[in-house]
Amino acid sequence: MSDAFTVLWTQDTCRALRRAGRVGERPPVAFSGVHTSLPAWSGARAGDEVYALHVNRCEVFVVSRMRVIDMERADCCGTAPATWQDPSFPGHGDWSMLGAGGCGASAVHVDATPVRFDTRIPGDLLATLTWRNRRGRTRNLKYVVDGRLEHSVSLQGFYRLAPDSADALARLAESAP
């Protein structure tokens, strides 16, 4: 059975996606790292879904739904860098803003929906979203006030969704125009 996760894409990442003209395109890759600025996709396996989220003016948006294909460096990634000055993933230069240069970055090949910034998570759903850890403990978002997210700190990272919340985000992503 597959799991679903969320990852927060920062303002800088989303700004870079817009500037590069990637809105409406499907990312073939995302990147996992070892630092909070590029969280490790630990626990994810092939077949799992990852919802890239973005917070803008206290509203949370689903930017893309990505199904993990594999987490291995492939020919499409280009040659591995020989020195620290070489690009880490020259084959994915068009999507490098997703973290190719991050600390300990590794490629995660995905089958994704197009990047978009108009699929807002409604406030009533935002208040009920639940994540669960490996021990089965659940948590909701902190700092949700009147359907708005006042602080994004509880979204920063890579977190496993509870099944009901995963289903709700899947329905939302599927209903996007």
Side-chain angles (χ1 to χ4, degrees):
M1 185 168 128
S2 62
D3 285 323
F5 300 84
T6 60
V7 64
L8 182 66
W9 283 356
T10 65
Q11 293 286 350
D12 290 340
T13 298
C14 293
R15 191 176 303 116
L17 285 165
R18 287 185 183 102
R19 259 192 250 124
R22 298 289 165 243
V23 176
E25 295 183 18
R26 297 171 183 266
V29 66
F31 297 93
S32 172
V34 295
H35 186 266
T36 56
S37 63
L38 184 61
W41 289 34
S42 55
R45 302 172 310 230
D48 288 344
E49 291 192 345
V50 179
Y51 293 89
L53 304 180
H54 173 60
V55 179
N56 188 13
R57 297 185 178 143
C58 299
E59 295 182 322
V60 182
F61 296 85
V62 176
V63 179
S64 183
R65 179 175 69 177
M66 301 171 281
R67 180 166 288 122
V68 176
I69 296 171
D70 67 55
M71 299 177 82
E72 302 295 324
R73 186 179 192 99
D75 291 339
C76 63
C77 297
T79 57
T83 70
W84 65 271
Q85 297 165 322
D86 297 336
S88 300
F89 297 92
H92 294 302
D94 290 347
W95 295 95
S96 63
M97 74 284 293
L98 296 181
C103 185
S106 60
V108 179
H109 295 97
V110 296
D111 177 24
T113 61
V115 170
R116 53 186 309 130
F117 294 99
D118 59 354
T119 308
R120 185 178 70 81
I121 299 176
D124 57 333
L125 175 56
L126 190 63
T128 63
L129 287 177
T130 307
W131 287 261
R132 66 178 171 84
N133 65 18
R134 292 180 187 192
R135 294 183 209 128
R137 288 196 170 158
T138 60
R139 71 168 179 87
N140 294 81
L141 280 178
K142 295 179 182 178
Y143 312 113
V144 176
V145 178
D146 297 328
R148 297 172 57 82
L149 186 64
E150 299 293 322
H151 301 285
S152 63
V153 69
S154 57
L155 276 180
Q156 294 172 358
F158 188 82
Y159 298 111
R160 179 176 284 122
L161 284 162
D164 290 347
S165 294
D167 292 343
L169 285 184
R171 284 191 300 277
L172 182 65
E174 289 166 5
S175 70

